[in-house]
Amino acid sequence: MNERIGVFVAWPYANGDLHLGHVAGVYLPADIFARYHRLRGNRVLMVSGSDAHGTPITVSAERAGVSPREFFERYHRRFLESFIGLGISFDLFTHTDTENHAAVSQDIFRVLYERGYIHTEAMAQLYCETDQRFLPDRYVEGTCPHCGYPNARGDQCDNCGRTLDATELIAPRCKLCGSQPVVRETEHFFFDLPAFEGPLLEYIGRQEHWRPNVQRFVENYLRGGLKPRPVTRDIEWGIPVPIPGYEHKVMYVWFEAVIGYLSASIEAAKNRGEEKAWEAWWTDPAARGYYFIGKDNIPFHAIIWPAELMGYDERLNLPFDIPASEFLNLEGQQFSTSRNWAVWLPDYLERYAPDPLRYYLTAIAPETGDSEFTWRGYVERNNNELVAAWGNLVNRVISFAVRHWDGRVPEPGPQDARDTELLDQISAGFDTVGAHYARAEFRAALRETMSLAREVNRYLDDKAPWFQIKEDRAAAGTTIYVALRAIDSLATLFAPVLPFTSAEVKRFLGYEDPLFGDLQIERFDESERSHEALVYQPLASEGSVDRWVPSELAPGQPLARPRVLFQKLDESVVDEERARLERASGAATVAEE
C-alpha cells in the first residue's frame, strides 16, 4: 500500500499518572491503528507528548511545593515508562516544554496576528487581592450557577458537566488562599474563530466518514455560532506571546497544545537527521492524518485546530479523521482522579501482563458510546477467551507438532474440503478484519479475529488429530499443518491488539524476524536544555513491505516448544481488586476532608 498515515494522539497533562480511561479512549486505539498500518507497509508517523503547560500543571506544582518544570518532568518520565510497558509505539512522544515546540507555536501565533486573525480585547477576570494576581479558571472554585454544586471549577462543573466562565461562579474562592476574588478588567489576545466559520462548515460537510458522534457534536457546536476565544493567560508558566510589549503573557494551553502535532512531527524529523521529512505527512494531499482523542476534545480538534491551520498555512493538511472515543467508566462510576476512583496504568503493569489489558479494553472500547471496565469482565475475558480459546489453541497444536514431528512443521498430504474451507475463511479474514482496523472499528476487528480462532478450535474438534494420528499419521499431519497455518495467520490478525504475545507465537512457529520494532527512551539536546522522549525504532521492512498476508508457513520449518501465553486468573481477583479500589478511594476522601 505504501501510504502515509499520520497518527496524532491527544497530549495528556503531566500532572498525574495515566489511568485506564485514558488508555481505552486514546492511547490504545491509536497504537492499534498505527501497528495495523505498519503491518500493511504504510509509512506511519505517530506522535504526541506530555502537555507541560497550563493551570493543571501550575496548580499541582504549587500544591506539591516544587517548580512546574520539576513537577511535569516527574510524570512525563512515568508516562514514558508506562507506554513502554503497555507497548504504545509512538514514533515520538515528547513534551511541550521544548525549544522546538516554543518556536513553532510562536511562529503560528505571530503569523495569525499579522494576518489579523488574532487581536486584543479587554475582558473581565477574577483577581485575588490577597495573592495579588489574576486567577486563571483552574485557580478558582465556587458554586455552579446551573446545578448548585459547591465545588465547581472555574472552567467546568464536574457535577452537571456545563462549561463555565469563572466569573459566573457563585461565591467564588481562590484555590491558593481561599479568599473571595474580585472582578477586574485585563487585556488578552483573542483568536477570531468567526472568520473561519464558512471554510469550517465547508470542510466539515465533506467529512462523511467521521464517526456519527463526532459529526453530531461538531454540527451542534457550529449551529450555536462561533465566537472569538482568548488565547493568552496571565501566568508565568507557558510559552511567551511573541508580540513586543506582551512578553509577560503566555499562550493559553488549548491554543498551544494542538500545535504539538505539527511541532512533534518537525522534531521527529530533526531527530532522525531528515529535517524536511515531516512535510510528507503535512503537505502531501494524499497523506491522511487521524486524530485520536476523547469526546471532550472534539471542538479543539475538529474546529479550533483546523482554523489555526487554515489561518497559518493553507498548504498544511487538515485532519482527515477524528475517531474520538466516548468515556470508559469503572465499576459503575466515572473515573475520578480527585476521589482516586481509578485503575492507574503503572499500578496495573506492576501486577499484570500488558496484552490481557489491551485485549479487554479493545473488546469493550468506548468507540461510539460510553462503556464500563469491571474486574469481573476482565477476568472472564482473560480466562474464557485469551486462555481457553486462543492461548490453549496455540499451545496444544504447537506442542503436538513438536512432540510428533520432531519439532518441525509436518509435510501435508492432500487437503479435503474441510481443510480448504478453514484456510479460505482465515484468508478472507485479512480483508474483513483489515477493513475494520482501517476504519478504526477495533471492537469489530477483535470480535472477528476471535471468531476465527474459535473456528479453528471447531476444526480441530472435527478432525481430532490426537486420535487421527493413531490410525492415519499422514492425515493427522495435514490437519496439524492446516492448523499451524491458521494459527500463524491469526497471530498476524491479533498483532495490532496483542503485539507481545503475537510476537511470541511467531517465535514458536520458527520465525526469526520480529513483528514490530523496539521502543526506547532517548535524551535529546537543544541549545539551552535537554529532554527525554519515547522513540519507536521501526523495522527495515516497515513502510515498504505489506506483511498483512495469510500464512506461508513452510513444511519442515523448525518449531519452538511453546510456553503458556496467558495466565488463568483466579476468581478471587475480582473481589481483591474491588476492595483495593474501595480502600484507595476511601483514603482519598478522608485526605480531602
Side-chain angles (χ1 to χ4, degrees):
M1 296 176 72
N2 206 20
E3 299 174 351
R4 292 192 184 271
I5 305 294
V7 183
F8 304 122
V9 193
W11 293 58
Y13 281 125
N15 67 334
D17 285 323
L18 298 168
H19 59 59
L20 300 194
H22 302 130
V23 175
V26 178
Y27 304 106
L28 179 57
D31 182 66
I32 293 170
F33 192 74
R35 288 182 184 273
Y36 165 71
H37 279 286
R38 291 185 183 118
L39 288 171
R40 294 308 315 256
N42 291 328
R43 300 293 301 274
V44 173
L45 177 65
M46 176 173 164
V47 296
S48 183
S50 295
D51 192 340
H53 301 136
T55 53
I57 303 296
T58 56
V59 169
S60 299
E62 288 180 11
R63 285 177 174 172
V66 299
S67 70
R69 176 168 291 117
E70 181 183 350
F71 188 85
F72 97 76
E73 285 182 342
R74 177 192 311 168
Y75 285 103
H76 175 67
R77 175 73 190 200
R78 289 176 68 83
F79 288 173
L80 303 183
E81 293 168 348
S82 293
F83 286 139
I84 287 178
L86 195 60
I88 307 299
S89 55
F90 288 104
D91 288 277
L92 179 70
F93 185 89
T94 180
H95 60 66
T96 57
D97 192 43
T98 66
E99 294 174 24
N100 169 75
H101 177 70
V104 176
S105 299
Q106 288 178 328
D107 186 56
I108 290 178
F109 190 103
R110 187 184 301 107
V111 169
L112 291 174
Y113 177 75
E114 291 171 351
R115 293 180 176 178
Y117 295 126
I118 288 179
H119 59 271
T120 57
E121 282 185 27
M123 64 177 291
Q125 190 171 341
L126 294 178
Y127 182 86
C128 180
E129 295 179 314
T130 302
D131 295 315
Q132 297 187 344
R133 62 189 290 180
F134 282 101
L135 298 177
D137 45 30
R138 291 287 181 106
Y139 279 74
V140 185
E141 288 182 339
T143 300
C144 175
H146 303 288
C147 71
Y149 180 61
N151 295 314
R153 298 197 313 262
D155 60 346
Q156 183 176 347
C157 175
D158 286 339
N159 186 58
C160 68
R162 295 283 193 96
T163 300
L164 301 173
D165 185 287
T167 57
E168 297 178 295
L169 292 173
I170 300 169
R173 56 189 181 274
C174 172
K175 289 182 70 173
L176 298 177
C177 67
S179 64
Q180 182 164 333
V182 297
V183 177
R184 285 192 182 180
E185 192 173 87
T186 184
E187 186 179 37
H188 278 293
F189 288 85
F190 281 72
F191 184 36
D192 187 11
L193 270 178
F196 299 93
E197 192 163 323
L200 284 169
L201 283 168
E202 181 183 350
Y203 158 67
I204 291 164
R206 300 194 303 266
Q207 312 310 317
E208 296 179 355
H209 53 283
W210 283 8
R211 289 179 176 175
N213 60 329
V214 178
Q215 195 78 40
R216 285 194 302 269
F217 188 102
V218 173
E219 289 172 354
N220 290 337
Y221 194 96
L222 287 172
R223 197 172 291 123
L226 297 178
K227 299 177 182 178
R229 287 182 64 105
V231 292
T232 55
R233 277 186 161 180
D234 292 314
I235 57 177
E236 296 180 0
W237 178 245
I239 297 178
V241 170
I243 306 302
Y246 292 94
E247 296 87 349
H248 60 289
K249 294 183 183 290
V250 302
M251 296 183 201
Y252 211 146
V253 71
W254 68 260
F255 173 87
E256 165 241 315
V258 289
I259 296 172
Y261 302 118
L262 178 59
S263 69
S265 301
I266 294 171
E267 182 184 339
K270 289 179 180 177
N271 292 344
R272 292 180 175 173
E274 303 172 352
E275 292 207 4
K276 296 295 184 181
W278 65 272
E279 294 179 354
W281 282 272
W282 284 92
T283 62
D284 181 355
R288 302 196 303 274
Y290 295 79
Y291 289 72
F292 286 83
I293 61 171
K295 66 179 178 181
D296 51 336
N297 268 326
I298 292 174
F300 300 102
H301 293 76
I303 296 172
I304 294 170
W305 177 229
E308 289 183 38
L309 290 169
M310 289 174 182
Y312 174 63
D313 188 343
E314 62 183 11
R315 299 174 305 155
L316 298 178
N317 290 334
L318 303 180
F320 174 77
D321 199 2
I322 305 175
S325 294
E326 301 291 301
F327 292 150
L328 181 74
N329 296 318
L330 173 62
E331 296 286 0
Q333 301 180 45
Q334 292 182 341
F335 277 81
S336 171
T337 299
S338 62
R339 293 186 295 108
N340 202 16
W341 188 258
V343 177
W344 303 102
L345 183 55
D347 180 55
Y348 171 91
L349 291 171
E350 284 182 2
R351 295 179 294 119
Y352 299 102
D355 272 1
L357 179 64
R358 292 176 64 106
Y359 181 88
Y360 181 52
L361 291 182
T362 304
I364 62 167
E367 292 174 352
T368 56
D370 292 355
S371 62
E372 184 172 13
F373 179 102
T374 68
W375 280 104
R376 181 165 299 283
Y378 171 82
V379 170
E380 289 177 349
R381 293 271 190 171
N382 179 81
N383 292 351
N384 299 337
E385 298 177 16
L386 287 179
V387 174
W390 173 229
N392 184 51
L393 169 64
V394 171
N395 194 284
R396 63 176 176 155
V397 172
I398 299 179
S399 295
F400 190 76
V402 167
R403 188 165 61 251
H404 291 282
W405 282 275
D406 298 324
R408 294 185 178 275
V409 177
E411 186 76 35
Q415 295 178 10
D416 63 20
R418 186 72 175 93
D419 301 326
T420 55
E421 177 190 32
L422 178 70
L423 291 177
D424 287 346
Q425 282 182 285
I426 298 293
S427 180
F430 281 83
D431 290 331
T432 56
V433 174
H436 287 308
Y437 280 131
R439 293 193 296 265
E441 297 166 351
F442 307 122
R443 290 178 71 156
L446 187 60
R447 186 168 56 247
E448 177 72 17
T449 305
M450 183 54 74
S451 176
L452 290 171
R454 290 195 174 97
E455 188 59 39
V456 180
N457 279 308
R458 282 190 288 270
Y459 166 81
L460 289 169
D461 290 341
D462 293 342
K463 289 282 189 172
W466 357 99
F467 303 113
Q468 200 177 27
I469 195 170
K470 297 174 183 177
E471 300 178 355
D472 190 339
R473 179 177 174 82
T478 301
T479 299
I480 292 300
Y481 171 76
V482 169
L484 287 171
R485 280 189 58 189
I487 288 170
D488 186 16
S489 291
L490 285 169
T492 302
L493 296 175
F494 273 125
V497 178
L498 305 175
F500 296 99
T501 49
S502 291
E504 287 194 74
V505 173
K506 293 288 187 177
R507 287 195 294 271
F508 300 159
L509 293 172
Y511 294 103
E512 296 180 357
D513 294 336
L515 270 173
F516 300 107
D518 292 325
L519 279 167
Q520 59 190 47
I521 297 173
E522 295 186 12
R523 181 167 287 277
F524 298 98
D525 292 321
E526 295 183 295
S527 62
E528 296 184 5
R529 59 179 179 268
S530 62
H531 66 279
E532 289 186 321
L534 184 64
V535 177
Y536 176 75
Q537 302 293 339
L539 303 176
S541 60
E542 291 180 17
S544 59
V545 178
D546 188 352
R547 294 172 292 144
W548 189 255
V549 292
S551 171
E552 297 179 352
L553 193 65
Q557 182 161 306
L559 300 170
R561 189 173 298 278
R563 70 164 191 87
V564 174
L565 289 175
F566 308 101
Q567 297 293 329
K568 186 173 183 179
L569 299 174
D570 191 271
E571 285 290 321
S572 61
V573 166
V574 176
D575 291 335
E576 290 169 3
E577 292 294 347
R578 284 176 175 168
R580 186 186 184 92
L581 261 177
E582 296 287 353
R583 287 196 303 272
S585 182
T589 301
V590 170
E592 188 174 310
E593 293 173 352

